[in-house]
Amino acid sequence: MRGLGPGLAVRRLLPLRVPTRPPRPPGPRLSSGPAAAAAGALERAMDELLRRAVPPTPAYELREKTPAPAEGQCADFVSFYGGLAEVAQRAELLGRLAQGFGVDHGQVAEQSAGVLQLRQQPREAAVLLQAEDRLRYALVPRYRGLFHHISKLDGGVRFLVQLRADLLEAQALKLLEGPHVRAIVKECPPSETEERNKIAAAIFYSISLTQQGLQGVELGTFLIKRVVKELQKEFPHLGAFSSLSPIPGFTKWLLGLLNSQTKEHGRNELFTDSECKEISELTGGPALETLRGLLSSGEWAKSEALVRALQTPLTRLCAWYLYGEKHRGYALNPVANFHLQNGAVLWRINWMANSSLKGLTGSCGLMVNYRYYLEDTGPNSIAYLGSKSIKASEQVLGLVAQYQKNSKL
């Protein structure tokens, strides 16, 4: 498993030699001699630049009357930033900007206390509304003014877009050095090691958030492309890239369907008549009611006959869950949504790929491949985000068609 960026851990099923400690990205660091002097000079230049370029926050009463800073001051920031060639140096500048020119916490505390006090006293609504507006104003970071004025420069919006991309990359490099990175390498005897020129496919075992604070931050495409480049350097013949991903929530979704259809006696959109008959013969009870208990505990996996009987219907239902079940038009399953946003193809449903207790109770032992065709990830992502169209393989589409046909019987 290799940590590859902001709060994401990626495990891959490939032989890999990883240094015991990832190299430190270049940039200013504390040391002795000329390097330390140069780093100190750069830091002082950054502080002086920010002092001149970041406009002070005007008093609330003067917020609409204070003139904008000189255009040259904003241009100086753009020029200085563009002259920093190293990612770590740009990250240092942005870090100083965030820490020294953010929100005035003293003002926020004062305004918050004022709002709370007014809420406890009978006052006119206008007084409370103005106090709340003052609080909102205090919550605006000082550096926002700099970005606002940069956006008005010729090419300013393009600069801000690139700055955001640099910030995400800097976060990735920072975490590559931090405690969130774990590199687990299985040493294979030389006789079992594959020849490099025969390794043609890379499988990402999982890509998952490791920091709750990064929920909602879309970094998948950036990180996956970074991983692909790294792998291709090590294994030049790599051409196929795919994930082997969990399907959290599938069992819960399926149990919900079983509950609803059990209550509606005689209704069955989940299994064919022959499937129901086989399941009933193996379990000794009504198919839907019996499966509810078995799927909740994972006990069904102990019976080879029941595993064979459930393979076709559960694989079919899983394909529909991933492809057809939606939330606001997008895939209901969060892992599917992540990969589809990044331009992957919903490629293959794998029966009993995870027979652990967690795999059985969470997804009935199923896992799924999301395949990345590098030249198509952009168009696929645009199609999914824009028209909510899911790119899927013939295997998945065939299973979906079977589900739709069965549900109409």
Side-chain angles (χ1 to χ4, degrees):
M1 180 171 68
R2 176 178 288 186
L4 292 156
L8 288 176
V10 179
R11 290 189 287 273
R12 64 183 191 174
L13 305 182
L14 273 176
L16 174 65
R17 292 197 303 272
V18 182
T20 56
R21 180 174 178 175
R24 181 184 177 94
R29 68 186 72 180
L30 293 177
S31 60
S32 60
L42 179 60
E43 291 172 357
R44 288 191 295 273
M46 288 180 179
D47 291 338
E48 176 62 20
L49 169 76
L50 296 176
R51 185 186 64 78
R52 290 186 291 102
V54 183
T57 301
Y60 176 80
E61 291 77 12
L62 301 175
R63 62 193 183 282
E64 296 178 356
K65 301 177 182 179
T66 302
E71 183 176 303
Q73 295 174 346
C74 298
D76 286 346
F77 179 88
V78 173
S79 177
F80 186 96
Y81 184 87
L84 299 174
E86 297 176 355
V87 173
Q89 291 176 340
R90 294 186 173 190
E92 176 69 19
L93 177 61
L94 295 177
R96 288 173 178 270
L97 177 64
Q99 293 174 13
F101 301 87
V103 171
D104 185 335
H105 296 289
Q107 277 290 320
V108 171
E110 181 180 337
Q111 299 300 332
S112 298
V115 171
L116 291 174
Q117 185 177 4
L118 288 172
R119 286 178 60 85
Q120 296 171 358
Q121 300 173 358
R123 293 293 183 94
E124 294 182 6
V127 177
L128 178 59
L129 289 174
Q130 186 181 53
E132 291 175 340
D133 191 53
R134 285 177 177 272
L135 175 58
R136 279 192 292 270
Y137 183 71
L139 287 168
V140 176
R142 183 177 166 184
Y143 56 73
R144 183 173 176 178
L146 172 65
F147 294 152
H148 173 72
H149 295 299
I150 287 176
S151 69
K152 297 180 180 181
L153 298 177
D154 185 24
V157 173
R158 188 187 315 115
F159 168 80
L160 292 175
V161 171
Q162 182 58 50
L163 185 146
R164 182 179 184 275
D166 291 344
L167 181 59
L168 295 180
E169 185 176 0
Q171 289 176 314
L173 290 175
K174 181 177 180 181
L175 285 172
L176 277 171
E177 291 190 300
H180 306 288
V181 178
R182 299 181 301 276
I184 301 175
V185 183
K186 182 179 180 181
E187 296 293 344
C188 301
S191 60
E192 299 179 13
T193 303
E194 295 186 67
E195 295 181 23
R196 287 178 177 269
N197 59 5
K198 292 184 178 180
I199 299 176
I203 303 296
F204 304 105
Y205 178 70
S206 72
I207 303 177
S208 57
L209 284 170
T210 61
Q211 296 183 42
Q212 291 300 316
L214 290 168
Q215 291 284 352
V217 179
E218 299 300 338
L219 300 172
T221 301
F222 166 77
L223 292 165
I224 288 170
K225 289 181 178 178
R226 184 184 179 92
V227 175
V228 167
K229 288 181 181 178
E230 183 179 329
L231 288 174
Q232 286 180 323
K233 288 180 182 178
E234 190 169 355
F235 303 96
H237 290 81
L238 278 180
F241 301 92
S242 177
S243 76
L244 178 60
S245 300
I247 314 173
F250 171 62
T251 301
K252 182 179 180 180
W253 172 81
L254 180 55
L255 289 173
L257 289 184
L258 290 170
N259 286 332
S260 63
Q261 297 203 5
T262 299
K263 293 176 182 177
E264 300 179 29
H265 300 290
R267 182 185 175 203
N268 175 25
E269 296 179 354
L270 306 181
F271 303 94
T272 65
D273 291 341
S274 61
E275 289 168 350
C276 282
K277 181 180 178 181
E278 184 177 9
I279 293 170
S280 295
E281 290 175 352
L282 291 171
T283 61
L288 299 186
E289 294 181 8
T290 307
L291 279 180
R292 281 191 303 170
L294 290 174
L295 294 179
S296 298
S297 64
E299 290 296 312
W300 59 276
K302 296 179 180 180
S303 167
E304 293 184 7
L306 194 54
V307 168
R308 288 194 299 270
L310 291 176
Q311 178 174 356
T312 296
L314 292 191
T315 304
R316 179 178 69 236
L317 287 163
C318 185
W320 174 256
Y321 168 68
L322 294 172
Y323 183 88
E325 290 296 316
K326 304 293 179 61
H327 174 66
R328 297 179 179 176
Y330 299 107
L332 174 65
N333 183 266
V335 178
N337 186 54
F338 171 83
H339 286 287
L340 294 170
Q341 283 186 12
N342 293 325
V345 177
L346 180 54
W347 185 250
R348 182 169 57 195
I349 312 295
N350 301 289
W351 176 245
M352 293 305 287
N354 185 357
S355 57
S356 68
L357 180 61
K358 183 177 181 180
L360 292 171
T361 56
S363 59
C364 299
L366 288 151
M367 296 187 77
V368 57
N369 296 117
Y370 297 97
R371 188 162 179 180
Y372 284 85
Y373 292 93
L374 301 184
E375 67 278 8
D376 295 332
T377 53
N380 290 348
S381 177
I382 292 172
Y384 179 70
L385 294 172
S387 59
K388 302 173 182 177
S389 173
I390 294 178
K391 187 75 171 180
S393 68
E394 291 185 4
Q395 185 233 23
V396 173
L397 293 177
L399 292 168
V400 168
Q402 292 175 27
Y403 173 89
Q404 292 174 321
K405 178 181 179 182
N406 190 64
S407 66
K408 295 176 182 178
L409 295 178

